[in-house]
Amino acid sequence: MTTSNTGTADVDPVVREELTRLRDSIDNIDAAVVHMLAERFKCTQQVGRLKAEHRLPPADPDREGRQIARLRALAENAKLDPAFAEKFLNFIIAEVIRHHEGIADAAVNGPTPPADRPTTASPGE
């Protein structure tokens, strides 16, 4: 047990090693989560383009409801707080809908340049 909570310098080396091992696992899991989210968003971008092409609404409340119920059940089975899982999915759904709205807008009005980039090439580009 530590006598200070300012760092790990005074921690037993065995405890420090276990802490490092666990943190390495957490880092690996975080990397996997980011990559899985990237893959998910690649798919949802394709869905957004398909919806825009066929003039379907960006949001699908029925599908979202089914997905939330499904994720809550998965969370319960995995011993994860279902409320947390629902909040996480709602955050993702909101971002997906925002992307779909942007894709639909671009399909109707043409693409808009990002606000943080100039619309014309600057000297030296």
Side-chain angles (χ1 to χ4, degrees), residues 41 44-45 48 58 93-104:
F41 276 97
T44 61
Q45 291 291 330
I93 289 170
E95 188 66 10
V96 168
I97 291 170
R98 188 179 70 78
H99 289 177
H100 288 187
E101 289 169 343
I103 292 167

Side-chain angles (χ1 to χ4, degrees), residues 4 10 15 39 42 47-48 65 68 71 105 107 109 119 122:
S4 166
D10 57 345
V15 172
E39 285 302 310
K42 285 177 189 175
V47 168
I68 289 168
L71 194 70
D105 184 58
N109 301 315
T119 57
S122 28

Side-chain angles (χ1 to χ4, degrees), residues 31-47 49 92 96 99:
V33 167
V34 167
H35 288 284
M36 293 300 294
L37 284 171
E39 285 302 310
R40 188 185 196 289
F41 276 97
K42 285 177 189 175
C43 291
T44 61
Q45 291 291 330
Q46 292 175 16
V47 168
R49 286 190 290 276
I92 291 172
V96 168
H99 289 177

Side-chain angles (χ1 to χ4, degrees), residues 15-80:
V15 172
R16 189 176 322 116
E17 184 177 318
E18 179 69 359
L19 184 60
T20 298
R21 184 188 69 75
L22 291 167
R23 286 178 173 168
D24 286 347
S25 290
I26 290 167
D27 292 349
N28 288 339
I29 294 165
D30 288 347
V33 167
V34 167
H35 288 284
M36 293 300 294
L37 284 171
E39 285 302 310
R40 188 185 196 289
F41 276 97
K42 285 177 189 175
C43 291
T44 61
Q45 291 291 330
Q46 292 175 16
V47 168
R49 286 190 290 276
L50 189 61
K51 285 181 172 183
E53 181 181 329
H54 295 279
R55 305 230 188 269
L56 297 169
D60 184 345
D62 291 337
R63 161 104 172 131
E64 293 158 21
R66 289 189 309 273
Q67 284 296 93
I68 289 168
R70 179 178 162 272
L71 194 70
R72 286 185 69 92
L74 288 170
E76 286 178 19
N77 289 336
K79 307 291 187 248
L80 178 68

Side-chain angles (χ1 to χ4, degrees), residues 1-13 16 19 23:
M1 183 168 217
T2 64
T3 57
S4 166
N5 59 7
T6 60
T8 59
D10 57 345
V11 175
D12 179 301
R16 189 176 322 116
L19 184 60
R23 286 178 173 168

